[in-house]
Every structure is written in structure tokens, then in C-alpha cells.
């Protein structure tokens, strides 16, 4: 596996290139168009910029995932900082791609109009109108995007994203219910967090067999849903969990007459009984035979 320094370096290079392409896109969108303007050249430049922004957006996302996976999970603040930085840049890239697509359509319409013009007297007037239409379209779109961002910022200002301080899950099926209830309430059901962010939080809390179960899934919105489904099927089968609790409860080591030994026995029994109650099992001493099988030496 590549070193963290190398992964950081590649991520920085990809981010710098993406930022430069976004700036280039801003320049293209604000280009003054006059009667001498070469629409074919502009279309070519816009197309190349669009492809570059799209390509390096995807590279930044992949490199961000690699870096998060390489960092010690204890460094949650660094992980959150990386996620926030890359999400912000990728959102700018996404907006730029949309703007360039709209601009391309407008330029194509302008080109078609100019190709069918035969009256040289109307040429200048039509070109000015095209420029006005482009400008009006861009201004309207920018106003709409700013309005949507303000609404989202207002929502986010009243919402604090959950810190990654929940319990981890290593594949022990008897701990699945506890882990999933905690994660679901803090992250999964939070409608203000994207699926990509949720996937990052989820990966940060998995270790051992649980982490291996979703290894290879790229950091995407659809893959988050797939990862949750895989974990539920493998570790969240209710009947299997119940059977494991009964098995471990019956096989608790026999206690001696010492206080510490008796306390360990009691704590172990209480842990499994509480878990079975959560799973809606009837663990009433008068109803269940499990108590008769718990021995004290």
C-alpha cells in the first residue's frame, strides 16, 4: 500500500488541478462575446474544460477515500477536515459542470442562428442579443443556485453533524443491534447528511470482519445503500443473534464463591438478558429454562 505521504501528495496535486480548471471555467463563462467571436473555438475550450473538471472531480473523490482509509481512525478531526475540504471542492466542480453544460447549449443555439443568417445588417444585432441571452441565463442560474445554497446553509447552521464518537463494530453479531441503533439515530436517519458522508462515517466505525465485508466498495451514494444491506444481511439476522446470546449465556464459565467471580457471572448474565429483552425475547425466570443452566461452583 502507498504511504500516507504519497497519497496526500497525489490528493493535493489533483485538488490543485481541479481548482485551476474551475477557475478556467469561470473565465470562460464570463467571456465577452462580440461579432468577431469564434464560437467553434469557444465550444472546443468549454468542452475540454468540462471534461477536465469532471475527470479531476472523480480523481479527488477517489484519492480522498484512499487517504481517509489510510489515516488512523482515532484521528477523527483530521478525517472530518479532509471530508469537508474535498466535499466543498467537489460541490464547486459539480456546479461548474452544470454551468458549462448550459453554456454549451446556449453557444450551440447561437451558432445555429448565426449559420442561418444571410443578412449582414442583422448580424451585429443578433450577436448582441445572443450575448444578452447568455448573460441573462447565467445570471438567472447563478441567482437560483445562490438561493438554494442559502437555504441549505440556513438548514446546516441549525444542525450539528454527529461527531465520530460512536462505538465501533468488529463483526460480533451480539453487538450488532447496539451498534446499528447508535449509528442509525446519529447518522443514517439524518436527512441533512449526504450518503457519501454517511458512507465515510460508516467506514470509520468498522473494524475487522465487518470492515472486510464492504472492502472494495467505492465512496458513492449508491454504494452506501449497498454497504448497509450487506452488513444487515451478514450480521443483523435476528434469529442468529438470539441463538448466539442463548449459547453464550448457557456457556458462561462457572463462578466460584469469590466476590469477583460472582460479580463477573452476574454482569455476563445481565448483559445477555438485557440484549434478549431488546430482541423481544421472553426471559422471565419462570418462563425460561436458561436460569437452571447457570451454575455456581
Amino acid at each position: 500500500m502507498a504511504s500516507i505521504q504519497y497519497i496526500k501528495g497525489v490528493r493535493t496535486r489533483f485538488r490543485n488541478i481541479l481548482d485551476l480548471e474551475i477557475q478556467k471555467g469561470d473565465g470562460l463563462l464570463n467571456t465577452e462575446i462580440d461579432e468577431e467571436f469564434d464560437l467553434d473555438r469557444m465550444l472546443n475550450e468549454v468542452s475540454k474544460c468540462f471534461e477536465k473538471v469532471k475527470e479531476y472531480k472523480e480523481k479527488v473523490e477517489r484519492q480522498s477515500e484512499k487517504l481517509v482509509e489510510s489515516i488512523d481512525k482515532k484521528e477523527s478531526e483530521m478525517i472530518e477536515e479532509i471530508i469537508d475540504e474535498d466535499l466543498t471542492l467537489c460541490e464547486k466542480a459539480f456546479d461548474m459542470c452544470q454551468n458549462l453544460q448550459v453554456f454549451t447549449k446556449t453557444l450551440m443555439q447561437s451558432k445555429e442562428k448565426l449559420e442561418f443568417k444571410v443578412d449582414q445588417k442583422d448580424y451585429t444585432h443578433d450577436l448582441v442579443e445572443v450575448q444578452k441571452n447568455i448573460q441573462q441565463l447565467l445570471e438567472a442560474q447563478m441567482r437560483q443556485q445562490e438561493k438554494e445554497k442559502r437555504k441549505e446553509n440556513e438548514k446546516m447552521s441549525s444542525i450539528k453533524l454527529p461527531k465520530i464518537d460512536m462505538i465501533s463494530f468488529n463483526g460480533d453479531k451480539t453487538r450488532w443491534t447496539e451498534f446499528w441503533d447508535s449509528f442509525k439515530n446519529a447518522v443514517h436517519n439524518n436527512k441533512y447528511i449526504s450518503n457519501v458522508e454517511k458512507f465515510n462515517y460508516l467506514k470509520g466505525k468498522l473494524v475487522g470482519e465487518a470492515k472486510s465485508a464492504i472492502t472494495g466498495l467505492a465512496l458513492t451514494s449508491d454504494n452506501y445503500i449497498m454497504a448497509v444491506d450487506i452488513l444487515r444481511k451478514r450480521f443483523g439476522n435476528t434469529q442468529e443473534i438470539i441463538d448466539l446470546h442463548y449459547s453464550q449465556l448457557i456457556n458462561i464459565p462457572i463462578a466460584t464463591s469469590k466476590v469477583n467471580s460472582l460479580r463477573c457471572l452476574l454482569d455476563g448474565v445481565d448483559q445477555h438478558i438485557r440484549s434478549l429483552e431488546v430482541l423481544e425475547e421472553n426471559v422471565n425466570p419462570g418462563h425460561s429454562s436458561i436460569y437452571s443452566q447457570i451454575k455456581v461452583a
Side-chain angles (χ1 to χ4, degrees):
M1 180 179 291
S3 67
I4 294 180
Q5 289 77 10
Y6 174 80
I7 296 174
K8 284 182 177 180
V10 174
R11 168 180 173 263
T12 299
R13 182 163 61 86
F14 287 168
R15 283 177 53 86
N16 290 341
I17 294 175
L18 180 56
D19 189 60
L20 287 174
E21 290 299 325
I22 291 174
Q23 294 179 32
K24 182 179 178 181
D26 283 331
L28 292 172
L29 293 175
N30 291 297
T31 300
E32 290 287 334
I33 300 176
D34 55 30
E35 59 184 80
E36 300 294 331
F37 198 77
D38 187 345
L39 286 175
D40 288 329
R41 182 185 63 80
M42 173 58 83
L43 283 168
N44 184 52
E45 290 294 322
V46 170
S47 177
K48 289 193 295 185
C49 184
F50 173 85
E51 293 299 329
K52 280 281 190 179
V53 171
K54 181 180 178 182
E55 174 187 357
Y56 279 91
K57 173 180 175 293
E58 294 172 352
K59 288 185 176 182
V60 168
E61 290 174 342
R62 289 196 296 268
Q63 204 65 20
S64 176
E65 179 185 2
K66 290 181 181 178
L67 183 55
V68 169
E69 290 179 347
S70 300
I71 295 175
D72 190 333
K73 302 308 178 185
K74 295 179 181 179
E75 299 181 29
S76 59
E77 293 183 1
M78 180 182 295
I79 293 176
E80 288 185 19
E81 182 179 355
I82 291 170
I83 294 172
D84 289 343
E85 289 177 352
D86 290 348
L87 281 176
T88 299
L89 183 60
C90 288
E91 285 175 357
K92 289 174 62 178
F94 177 79
D95 291 342
M96 178 55 64
C97 286
Q98 286 189 316
N99 289 339
L100 290 173
Q101 284 181 315
V102 172
F103 192 38
T104 298
K105 291 179 181 179
T106 304
L107 289 174
M108 290 297 296
Q109 292 173 354
S110 302
K111 182 180 177 182
E112 291 173 0
K113 288 182 179 180
L114 291 175
E115 288 175 347
F116 284 97
K117 288 298 179 181
V118 293
D119 189 349
Q120 188 63 34
K121 292 182 180 180
D122 295 331
Y123 178 82
T124 303
H125 176 266
D126 290 339
L127 194 58
V128 171
E129 288 298 314
V130 169
Q131 184 176 357
K132 288 181 179 179
N133 290 338
I134 293 174
Q135 191 65 29
Q136 290 172 357
L137 181 62
L138 289 174
E139 290 175 353
Q141 186 177 30
M142 291 175 66
R143 286 195 298 269
Q144 182 62 27
Q145 289 178 348
E146 287 296 326
K147 183 178 179 181
E148 292 175 356
K149 286 183 177 179
R150 281 197 300 270
K151 288 182 179 179
E152 188 65 24
N153 288 336
E154 290 173 358
K155 291 179 181 178
M156 294 302 293
S157 64
S158 61
I159 299 294
K160 290 186 177 180
L161 297 182
K163 298 294 182 182
I164 308 180
D165 55 2
M166 299 165 288
I167 62 172
S168 297
F169 181 65
N170 64 358
D172 180 356
K173 293 181 180 180
T174 62
R175 304 303 298 274
W176 167 257
T177 302
E178 178 186 3
F179 165 74
W180 180 246
D181 285 348
S182 173
F183 186 85
K184 179 173 64 176
N185 291 329
V187 178
H188 185 72
N189 291 340
N190 192 327
K191 63 182 179 179
Y192 297 111
I193 307 177
S194 71
N195 279 356
V196 173
E197 291 175 294
K198 291 177 182 179
F199 202 176
N200 261 316
Y201 282 127
L202 180 62
K203 283 190 171 185
K205 303 313 296 179
L206 299 179
V207 296
E209 183 183 352
K211 183 176 181 180
S212 299
I214 61 171
T215 297
L217 292 179
L219 194 68
T220 67
S221 178
D222 290 340
N223 280 349
Y224 170 69
I225 304 300
M226 184 181 298
V228 170
D229 187 56
I230 290 173
L231 293 171
R232 280 174 167 168
K233 288 179 179 178
R234 183 170 300 186
F235 304 107
N237 184 289
T238 302
Q239 189 55 54
E240 289 183 3
I241 296 173
I242 290 173
D243 292 343
L244 278 172
H245 278 297
Y246 277 124
S247 176
Q248 293 180 17
L249 184 59
I250 291 172
N251 291 292
I252 289 179
I254 297 174
T256 67
S257 58
K258 294 182 178 180
V259 174
N260 288 341
S261 180
L262 290 169
R263 183 177 292 113
C264 289
L265 174 64
L266 180 60
D267 290 343
V269 171
D270 283 345
Q271 175 188 342
H272 290 294
I273 293 299
R274 285 195 296 268
S275 297
L276 288 168
E277 286 177 338
V278 171
L279 295 168
E280 300 182 356
E281 281 290 287
N282 189 340
V283 292
N284 188 294
H287 179 271
S288 177
S289 63
I290 56 177
Y291 291 89
S292 65
Q293 302 181 52
I294 302 172
K295 301 177 181 179
V296 177

